[in-house]
Amino acid sequence: MSAISEPGALPPVPVPATERKRMSLDWLGVMPFIIFAVLFLIWPTIYLVAGAFQDNEGNLTLANIANLFQPSIMDAYWISIKISLASALLGALIGFCIAAAITLGGLPGWIRSPLMTFSGVASNFAGVPLAFAFLATLGRTGLVTSFLFNVFGFNLYAHGFNLLSFWGLTITYLYFQIPLMILIITPALDGLKREWKEAALILGATGPQYWRMVAFPILWPALLGTILLLFANSFGAIATAYALTGSSLSIVPIVLFAQIRGDVLQDPHLGYALAFGMIVITGVSNAIYIWMRARSEKWLK
């Protein structure tokens, strides 16, 4: 028995076969991305996670996860967390000030376009070229180091600075952390409506009160989420740290690289467990960032 249609209801409009065919062909446009994501992101992640729970014979085990709590590995995680947190906080603070200056400040409008272009390039500049650039600039015989000593008689390294150290690596990471912060937070600052500030000023609020009671509460989810993204961005960086410090600074990516390559204990499955720990930390950071970003966009629409 056929169903009785409601009064006034329109019959369903059939989708033409040509339209269905066109929609199916549209998937071909994203197939390269899907294939790339599966081969170089999803499948390697599954392989690493599976290897973290296996021994050399392929049997299931939790020994690799238990070995993560060794003092040396815990120290490596702690150093990585501190470097990532320091570079994320400093990069967020400096990047926010620069983004606020070009969006809400009185700087000329022509500055924004080249700054955003540079930020897009610098946020992806890392690895050996970045390490060489900082060695040539702030190394023991670098340009800035020699300039300070020859002109002002100031020996940068004699006063405790060392590029191959915690703060040296943090400063190096700032080169791509600050531009990334600018790229992400600028749209959020553009979303602040001028009417909100005008209404606050009409009601008697001062500039600092407007920022403290109106702007920052709205921007807070985006700010916190971006800091977490910067944290994850630096936590997984290895090429810059390895090219700059070698094995003198034991952070998790360098320890992971040594374990998988077999130079230390020749235990690749412990390396898989190290990678699994990094995936968990960066995954949680990115998940919170996406959630915070979604909350912020509700106000900025």
Side-chain angles (χ1 to χ4, degrees), residues 135-157:
L135 286 172
T137 304
L138 290 173
R140 290 188 177 272
T141 59
L143 179 64
V144 173
T145 307
S146 301
F147 175 80
L148 292 175
F149 181 76
N150 295 329
V151 177
F152 301 100
F154 180 78
N155 191 334
L156 190 62
Y157 280 78

Short mmCIF file of all heavy atoms in Angstrom, two decimals, residues 135-157:
data_model
loop_
_atom_site.label_atom_id
_atom_site.label_comp_id
_atom_site.label_asym_id
_atom_site.label_seq_id
_atom_site.Cartn_x
_atom_site.Cartn_y
_atom_site.Cartn_z
N LEU A 135 72.81 29.70 12.76
CA LEU A 135 74.23 29.52 13.04
C LEU A 135 75.04 30.64 12.41
O LEU A 135 76.01 31.13 13.01
CB LEU A 135 74.70 28.15 12.52
CG LEU A 135 74.27 26.93 13.33
CD1 LEU A 135 74.65 25.64 12.61
CD2 LEU A 135 74.91 26.96 14.72
N ALA A 136 74.67 31.04 11.20
CA ALA A 136 75.38 32.13 10.53
C ALA A 136 75.08 33.48 11.15
O ALA A 136 75.85 34.43 10.97
CB ALA A 136 75.02 32.15 9.05
N THR A 137 73.97 33.57 11.92
CA THR A 137 73.59 34.85 12.52
C THR A 137 73.98 34.94 13.98
O THR A 137 74.59 35.93 14.42
CB THR A 137 72.07 35.05 12.38
OG1 THR A 137 71.71 34.97 11.01
CG2 THR A 137 71.67 36.42 12.91
N LEU A 138 73.65 33.89 14.76
CA LEU A 138 73.87 33.93 16.21
C LEU A 138 74.85 32.86 16.69
O LEU A 138 74.96 32.64 17.90
CB LEU A 138 72.53 33.76 16.95
CG LEU A 138 71.55 34.92 16.84
CD1 LEU A 138 70.21 34.55 17.47
CD2 LEU A 138 72.12 36.17 17.52
N GLY A 139 75.54 32.21 15.78
CA GLY A 139 76.56 31.25 16.18
C GLY A 139 77.76 31.95 16.82
O GLY A 139 77.81 33.18 16.92
N ARG A 140 78.74 31.18 17.25
CA ARG A 140 79.91 31.78 17.91
C ARG A 140 80.67 32.71 17.00
O ARG A 140 81.31 33.67 17.48
CB ARG A 140 80.83 30.67 18.42
CG ARG A 140 80.25 29.89 19.59
CD ARG A 140 81.25 28.93 20.19
NE ARG A 140 80.68 28.25 21.36
CZ ARG A 140 80.73 28.72 22.59
NH1 ARG A 140 81.33 29.89 22.83
NH2 ARG A 140 80.19 28.05 23.61
N THR A 141 80.65 32.48 15.70
CA THR A 141 81.27 33.38 14.73
C THR A 141 80.22 33.98 13.80
O THR A 141 80.53 34.37 12.68
CB THR A 141 82.33 32.63 13.91
OG1 THR A 141 81.72 31.52 13.24
CG2 THR A 141 83.45 32.13 14.81
N GLY A 142 78.97 34.04 14.27
CA GLY A 142 77.89 34.55 13.45
C GLY A 142 77.96 36.06 13.25
O GLY A 142 78.75 36.78 13.89
N LEU A 143 77.14 36.54 12.35
CA LEU A 143 77.16 37.96 11.98
C LEU A 143 76.82 38.85 13.17
O LEU A 143 77.55 39.81 13.47
CB LEU A 143 76.16 38.20 10.83
CG LEU A 143 76.04 39.64 10.33
CD1 LEU A 143 77.35 40.10 9.72
CD2 LEU A 143 74.91 39.75 9.30
N VAL A 144 75.72 38.56 13.86
CA VAL A 144 75.32 39.39 15.00
C VAL A 144 76.30 39.26 16.15
O VAL A 144 76.66 40.25 16.80
CB VAL A 144 73.89 39.01 15.45
CG1 VAL A 144 73.51 39.74 16.73
CG2 VAL A 144 72.89 39.33 14.34
N THR A 145 76.78 38.04 16.40
CA THR A 145 77.75 37.83 17.48
C THR A 145 79.03 38.62 17.23
O THR A 145 79.55 39.29 18.14
CB THR A 145 78.08 36.33 17.61
OG1 THR A 145 76.87 35.59 17.75
CG2 THR A 145 78.96 36.08 18.81
N SER A 146 79.54 38.58 16.00
CA SER A 146 80.75 39.32 15.67
C SER A 146 80.51 40.82 15.71
O SER A 146 81.38 41.59 16.15
CB SER A 146 81.25 38.91 14.27
OG SER A 146 81.53 37.51 14.23
N PHE A 147 79.35 41.26 15.26
CA PHE A 147 79.03 42.69 15.27
C PHE A 147 78.99 43.23 16.70
O PHE A 147 79.55 44.30 16.98
CB PHE A 147 77.70 42.92 14.57
CG PHE A 147 77.23 44.35 14.62
CD1 PHE A 147 77.74 45.31 13.76
CD2 PHE A 147 76.26 44.74 15.55
CE1 PHE A 147 77.31 46.62 13.82
CE2 PHE A 147 75.83 46.05 15.61
CZ PHE A 147 76.36 46.99 14.75
N LEU A 148 78.33 42.52 17.58
CA LEU A 148 78.25 42.96 18.97
C LEU A 148 79.63 43.02 19.62
O LEU A 148 79.93 43.93 20.41
CB LEU A 148 77.33 42.03 19.77
CG LEU A 148 75.85 42.07 19.43
CD1 LEU A 148 75.09 41.01 20.22
CD2 LEU A 148 75.26 43.45 19.69
N PHE A 149 80.50 42.06 19.29
CA PHE A 149 81.83 42.03 19.91
C PHE A 149 82.75 43.09 19.32
O PHE A 149 83.48 43.78 20.05
CB PHE A 149 82.45 40.65 19.73
CG PHE A 149 83.80 40.51 20.37
CD1 PHE A 149 83.93 40.37 21.74
CD2 PHE A 149 84.95 40.52 19.58
CE1 PHE A 149 85.19 40.26 22.33
CE2 PHE A 149 86.20 40.41 20.17
CZ PHE A 149 86.31 40.27 21.55
N ASN A 150 82.72 43.26 17.99
CA ASN A 150 83.64 44.19 17.35
C ASN A 150 83.24 45.65 17.54
O ASN A 150 84.09 46.52 17.63
CB ASN A 150 83.73 43.88 15.84
CG ASN A 150 84.34 42.52 15.57
OD1 ASN A 150 85.18 42.04 16.32
ND2 ASN A 150 83.91 41.89 14.48
N VAL A 151 81.94 45.93 17.60
CA VAL A 151 81.48 47.31 17.70
C VAL A 151 81.29 47.74 19.14
O VAL A 151 81.72 48.82 19.56
CB VAL A 151 80.16 47.48 16.90
CG1 VAL A 151 79.62 48.91 17.07
CG2 VAL A 151 80.40 47.18 15.43
N PHE A 152 80.66 46.87 19.95
CA PHE A 152 80.34 47.24 21.33
C PHE A 152 81.20 46.51 22.37
O PHE A 152 81.08 46.79 23.57
CB PHE A 152 78.86 46.95 21.62
CG PHE A 152 77.91 47.69 20.73
CD1 PHE A 152 77.32 47.06 19.64
CD2 PHE A 152 77.63 49.04 20.95
CE1 PHE A 152 76.44 47.74 18.81
CE2 PHE A 152 76.75 49.72 20.12
CZ PHE A 152 76.16 49.08 19.05
N GLY A 153 82.03 45.60 21.93
CA GLY A 153 82.85 44.85 22.87
C GLY A 153 82.05 43.90 23.74
O GLY A 153 82.50 43.52 24.83
N PHE A 154 80.88 43.50 23.28
CA PHE A 154 79.99 42.63 24.07
C PHE A 154 80.09 41.22 23.54
O PHE A 154 79.77 40.94 22.39
CB PHE A 154 78.54 43.14 23.97
CG PHE A 154 77.56 42.31 24.74
CD1 PHE A 154 77.44 42.45 26.11
CD2 PHE A 154 76.74 41.39 24.10
CE1 PHE A 154 76.53 41.69 26.84
CE2 PHE A 154 75.82 40.63 24.80
CZ PHE A 154 75.73 40.78 26.18
N ASN A 155 80.57 40.32 24.39
CA ASN A 155 80.70 38.91 24.02
C ASN A 155 79.41 38.19 24.43
O ASN A 155 79.17 37.96 25.62
CB ASN A 155 81.91 38.27 24.70
CG ASN A 155 82.22 36.89 24.14
OD1 ASN A 155 81.34 36.19 23.63
ND2 ASN A 155 83.48 36.48 24.24
N LEU A 156 78.61 37.84 23.44
CA LEU A 156 77.30 37.25 23.72
C LEU A 156 77.43 35.91 24.43
O LEU A 156 76.69 35.61 25.36
CB LEU A 156 76.53 37.08 22.40
CG LEU A 156 75.05 36.69 22.48
CD1 LEU A 156 74.26 37.75 23.22
CD2 LEU A 156 74.48 36.47 21.08
N TYR A 157 78.39 35.11 24.03
CA TYR A 157 78.54 33.78 24.61
C TYR A 157 79.21 33.83 25.98
O TYR A 157 79.01 32.93 26.79
CB TYR A 157 79.33 32.88 23.66
CG TYR A 157 78.48 32.34 22.54
CD1 TYR A 157 78.14 33.13 21.45
CD2 TYR A 157 77.98 31.04 22.58
CE1 TYR A 157 77.35 32.63 20.43
CE2 TYR A 157 77.19 30.53 21.56
CZ TYR A 157 76.87 31.34 20.48
OH TYR A 157 76.07 30.86 19.48
#
